[in-house]
Amino acid sequence: MIAVSIALLVTFMLTAFGSGSSEPTQTRPAPANRFLPAGQPRPQVVALRGSLRLQLPIAQDRVTAIGYHAVGGGALALEPVGRQANEGLFSRIARKLFGGGERGLTYYLLGGAEGTSTAALDVGAAPGTDVYSPVDGTIVGITPLTLRGQTYGARIDIQPTSAPALVVRVTHLRPDPALTVGSSVAASISKIGTIIDFSEVERQALARYTQDEGNHVSAEVHPAATLATP
């Protein structure tokens, strides 16, 4: 009986995992630029920070991939909603054997130099795709984002209504002209900008999992007190 049980377990593992490569085979979505222009996303929570719920800021059919990476500057760890697509072999075995995490969003851990591995959320889409507020709240800052002496869109800071001691920082986008400091925004409803092309500025880690350069909108959560200066 022991020998039969071992044989059945080996057969199950070979069937479930194929060649046993460290990453699952990915079916990559079509390039997002064919979908432009974009509309509002359906309300869908993509990440959590305590009681704060971050909604998907890009329409679902425009998203190329979702990733998390470490980042400095005091950004707080986020709790991803969904399943990690590039998880390790043992985690995949446990999930197959015991279930869980099969439905909903899939995301990738992208690494990073410092900080917790889920401090920054990247939602991929083509340049020009509309970006919507990830939270209900108030715009408390719109700051030009300058890299190597050039301005690349802006950093938008949003104070969430549900967590006023925090600030959600959104980058890699061009702010909507109608947006001003003091504006009220609603999650998944208020357009706050459009994604800009960062491929000439940095090598974007999300590109490993998309059919394009990995352009995306990025969101971080900070304690409000730490954002007094850019």
Side-chain angles (χ1 to χ4, degrees):
M1 291 181 66
I2 293 174
V4 171
S5 298
I6 293 174
L8 289 174
L9 178 60
V10 171
T11 301
F12 171 80
M13 292 177 65
L14 290 175
T15 302
F17 306 110
S19 62
S21 59
S22 60
E23 289 194 11
T25 301
Q26 300 298 324
T27 302
R28 296 182 177 181
N33 55 7
R34 73 172 185 164
F35 295 122
L36 296 176
Q40 293 177 343
R42 300 186 307 275
Q44 184 173 14
V45 177
V46 65
L48 304 170
R49 173 66 195 184
S51 62
L52 180 64
R53 302 158 65 90
L54 297 184
Q55 301 279 348
L56 195 67
I58 301 292
Q60 280 81 354
D61 59 357
R62 275 61 167 179
V63 175
T64 56
I66 296 172
Y68 293 84
H69 62 87
V71 65
L76 302 173
L78 300 173
E79 179 185 345
V81 172
R83 178 182 66 84
Q84 183 184 340
N86 59 340
E87 62 189 350
L89 177 61
F90 290 109
S91 297
R92 290 163 53 204
I93 291 174
R95 180 168 48 80
K96 287 289 185 180
L97 291 175
F98 304 111
E102 292 287 349
R103 298 181 179 180
L105 297 168
T106 59
Y107 63 89
Y108 302 89
L109 292 185
L110 306 176
E114 57 180 307
T116 59
S117 61
T118 60
L121 162 67
D122 294 343
V123 181
T129 302
D130 292 341
V131 179
Y132 292 81
S133 179
V135 293
D136 295 334
T138 303
I139 302 297
V140 294
I142 303 175
T143 308
L145 184 61
T146 302
L147 297 171
R148 302 169 190 169
Q150 299 290 326
T151 298
Y152 295 93
R155 184 191 82 193
I156 299 175
D157 293 334
I158 307 170
Q159 185 176 42
T161 302
S162 63
L166 300 176
V167 169
V168 178
R169 172 183 289 178
V170 185
T171 58
H172 289 64
L173 78 168
R174 181 175 293 107
D176 189 274
L179 203 66
T180 60
V181 173
S183 297
S184 295
V185 290
S188 306
I189 296 175
S190 301
K191 179 181 172 182
I192 60 174
T194 54
I195 289 179
I196 61 176
D197 188 354
F198 253 67
S199 60
E200 296 182 0
V201 182
E202 61 184 14
R203 186 176 180 180
Q204 301 174 108
L206 205 62
R208 298 199 303 267
Y209 305 105
T210 67
Q211 290 184 343
D212 57 17
E213 295 85 0
N215 285 298
H216 58 274
V217 61
S218 188
E220 304 168 15
V221 175
H222 293 255
T226 68
L227 295 181
T229 59

